[in-house]
Amino acid sequence: MRRLGELEAAVMDVLWSTSGPVTVREALGALDRDPEPAYTTIMTVLDNLHRKSMVTRERTGRAWAYRPAQSREEFDAEAMAAVLESAADRGTTLLRFIGKISPDELARLRALMDAAEERR
Amino acid sequence: MTTALALLGYAGLLGLFGPQLVDRARWAMAAPRLAIATWFALAASFVLALALAGMAIVMPMEIFTGGPVGLVQECIAVLREQYGEIGGFALVVLAAVLTWAVPIRLLFAAIAALRSAAVDRSKLRRELAVARRNGDLGAVVVGCSRPAAYCIPGKGGLIVITSGALELLDGPQIEAVLAHERAHLAGHHHLLVAFAQAGRRAFGWLPLFAHLPERIGQLVELTADDAAARSATRNTLARSLLNVAAAQVPVEALAASGGDTVARVERLLDAPAAPGPAGIGTILGGNAAAVAAPVLIVAIPIITAFGMACCPV
């Protein structure tokens, strides 16, 4: 799983909310941060994101323009799957609305659901 | 010495047969918070009994007639006199272990449990770094077709719900799910589970502590269900549970934790009778008695000794 730093996440946010490719200068302009990060910082961040295969890039004139490699939805879904599959301790790290369930349990739950439906 | 043996015997019985006291209780499902309190009261009673047993070994009754100066040397001298050079030394070591090593072991286990949980949590938070927060829901919404909701405690807490869950559930059901997660955060349920894990790390070989994290884990779910059922209806929450559960991919060969969800739904649809004020009083009284019992075991011979004004070891 590719994990993002805080600034990386902010830059990805900019890329996801823009339809076309984004140059370093444009990304810097769209970032709403105080203090404003340096141009070279954003350049490094985008370079790192490219190295992590989070973004693709193409030449526009003398500068690189970046696009997200996958949609936010795809990325979110992957992140979510990683969280839900993580072997993290139940109860201290993450409290889930519903734990993992077995097929047998699922069948009993469906039966309960039908019974509840009939009572309506 | 009798006092120490009595305390060790008490701790042994509690460690072996304590779980049966609560597992057999029918009120535990109806009053999960009382059940949590009872589990921790039994655990505290166990640890207190061991620590006091240690003190009872090295602190003969002389301390209550003589001054405190040179007390420990005096105690050791008395022990040696009575149990011989080697026996006396072994007893001193045993006493020190019981008095100090047991609570310190528990403390370190708690620190380890809390620390590893904090590390895991910050990893999970990083996974969610790009997810958007929805102010109306008070939760982070993650684009994922699989319906799920959870909370990550610490740092004010973070509630996460998937877009799949938002599509599947209606408004009141979503509110019920979020209320359940908020109850976890507000009740600091992760700390309760962490303490239970610390107990297992320290004394996992005893029945009292072996399954404590699972038991507390299930009881905090019931507690959160109750809290959610106060703002939504029990039926709405049951529907949310059923809907989300029915959309899960089942896992074959599941550990002992399985069966929780069925129990939760049945409990919401058909609420078990909660203990009345008298019942609650009895349970809380029992908890207080469990914690007080080791102290009483120590106190009885002291009181007797004072009464008789003679103080053999």
Side-chain angles (χ1 to χ4, degrees):
Chain A
M1 186 63 216
R2 290 154 299 188
R3 296 212 173 89
L4 299 183
E6 202 250 333
L7 188 56
E8 288 178 327
V11 170
M12 281 310 293
D13 219 29
V14 168
L15 263 56
W16 274 320
S17 47
T18 318
S19 51
V22 175
T23 62
V24 176
R25 175 105 18 232
E26 285 161 351
L28 192 58
L31 270 178
D32 183 21
R33 289 173 84 85
D34 190 43
E36 190 174 274
Y39 179 89
T40 48
T41 309
I42 301 304
M43 198 168 76
T44 311
V45 166
L46 279 165
D47 204 48
N48 287 341
L49 287 171
H50 181 249
R51 202 161 33 76
K52 291 183 188 176
S53 305
M54 281 294 295
V55 297
T56 58
R57 63 183 180 186
E58 59 208 67
R59 281 275 180 202
T60 55
R62 280 166 51 224
W64 289 109
Y66 296 85
R67 277 176 202 273
Q70 54 182 167
S71 71
R72 179 198 281 276
E73 286 65 31
E74 285 166 339
F75 181 81
D76 272 5
E78 253 181 53
M80 193 65 186
V83 169
L84 292 177
E85 304 311 329
S86 73
D89 266 332
R90 175 183 136 122
T92 54
T93 306
L94 163 119
L95 293 112
R96 304 170 59 152
F97 183 58
I98 284 191
K100 294 191 172 112
I101 51 177
S102 64
D104 174 49
E105 200 178 353
L106 190 62
R108 284 169 67 194
L109 284 166
R110 292 229 164 96
L112 274 174
M113 197 147 132
D114 293 343
E117 208 68 59
E118 272 169 33
R119 260 188 278 173
R120 286 198 157 191
Chain B
M1 207 56 214
T2 323
T3 308
L5 286 177
L7 283 166
L8 289 175
Y10 169 78
L13 286 176
L14 198 57
L16 292 175
F17 303 110
Q20 294 178 13
L21 290 176
V22 194
D23 282 343
R24 281 208 197 130
R26 253 174 290 161
W27 53 265
M29 282 291 275
R33 280 192 298 180
L34 271 181
I36 292 171
T38 304
W39 280 114
F40 282 117
L42 294 183
S45 181
F46 173 85
V47 175
L48 193 61
L50 288 190
L52 286 176
M55 285 185 208
I57 294 173
V58 284
M59 298 237 178
M61 295 314 158
E62 272 90 322
I63 67 171
F64 300 102
T65 49
V69 185
L71 190 67
V72 175
Q73 282 94 326
E74 212 174 286
C75 297
I76 294 170
V78 172
L79 284 171
R80 279 184 177 163
E81 225 167 79
Q82 222 164 344
Y83 300 99
E85 194 76 8
I86 296 165
F89 180 72
L91 272 177
V92 169
V93 171
L94 174 66
V97 165
L98 287 173
T99 315
W100 297 107
V102 166
I104 288 174
R105 181 170 164 76
L106 202 57
L107 183 70
F108 274 92
I111 291 170
L114 290 172
R115 194 175 282 171
S116 76
V119 170
D120 286 345
R121 284 203 298 264
S122 66
K123 273 186 206 155
L124 292 185
R125 280 168 192 279
R126 267 206 305 255
E127 302 276 8
L128 297 163
V130 293
R132 281 159 296 188
R133 195 177 164 78
N134 182 316
D136 293 340
L137 294 174
V140 164
V141 178
V142 181
C144 176
S145 58
R146 187 163 143 198
Y150 57 88
C151 65
I152 302 175
K155 294 183 189 167
L158 185 72
I159 297 174
V160 182
I161 188 161
T162 63
S163 55
L166 294 181
E167 277 162 34
L168 179 75
L169 304 174
D170 65 19
Q173 288 173 355
I174 293 169
E175 184 40 45
V177 171
L178 295 175
H180 173 99
E181 298 303 328
R182 279 198 300 271
H184 277 319
L185 295 176
H188 299 286
H189 290 166
H190 65 293
L191 291 180
L192 297 176
V193 180
F195 290 141
Q197 283 177 352
R200 181 167 61 188
R201 275 179 199 230
F203 310 109
W205 40 274
L206 272 170
L208 177 58
F209 293 95
H211 301 293
L212 200 53
E214 288 85 355
R215 286 176 168 123
I216 299 297
Q218 194 188 355
L219 288 168
V220 297
E221 291 306 328
L222 302 185
T223 306
D225 280 349
D226 285 349
R230 276 193 286 275
S231 55
T233 65
R234 298 185 83 87
N235 208 23
T236 307
L237 182 62
R239 305 289 308 175
S240 319
L241 272 165
L242 284 171
N243 285 335
V244 176
Q248 302 301 308
V249 183
V251 184
E252 295 281 351
L254 203 62
S257 67
D260 290 6
T261 312
V262 172
R264 279 169 67 195
V265 172
E266 282 174 343
R267 179 175 172 276
L268 285 169
L269 293 176
D270 200 4
I280 293 172
T282 310
I283 295 160
L284 287 178
N287 291 353
V291 178
V295 181
L296 281 177
I297 296 176
V298 175
I300 288 164
I302 292 172
I303 294 162
T304 318
F306 266 118
M308 295 165 73
C310 70
C311 325
V313 174

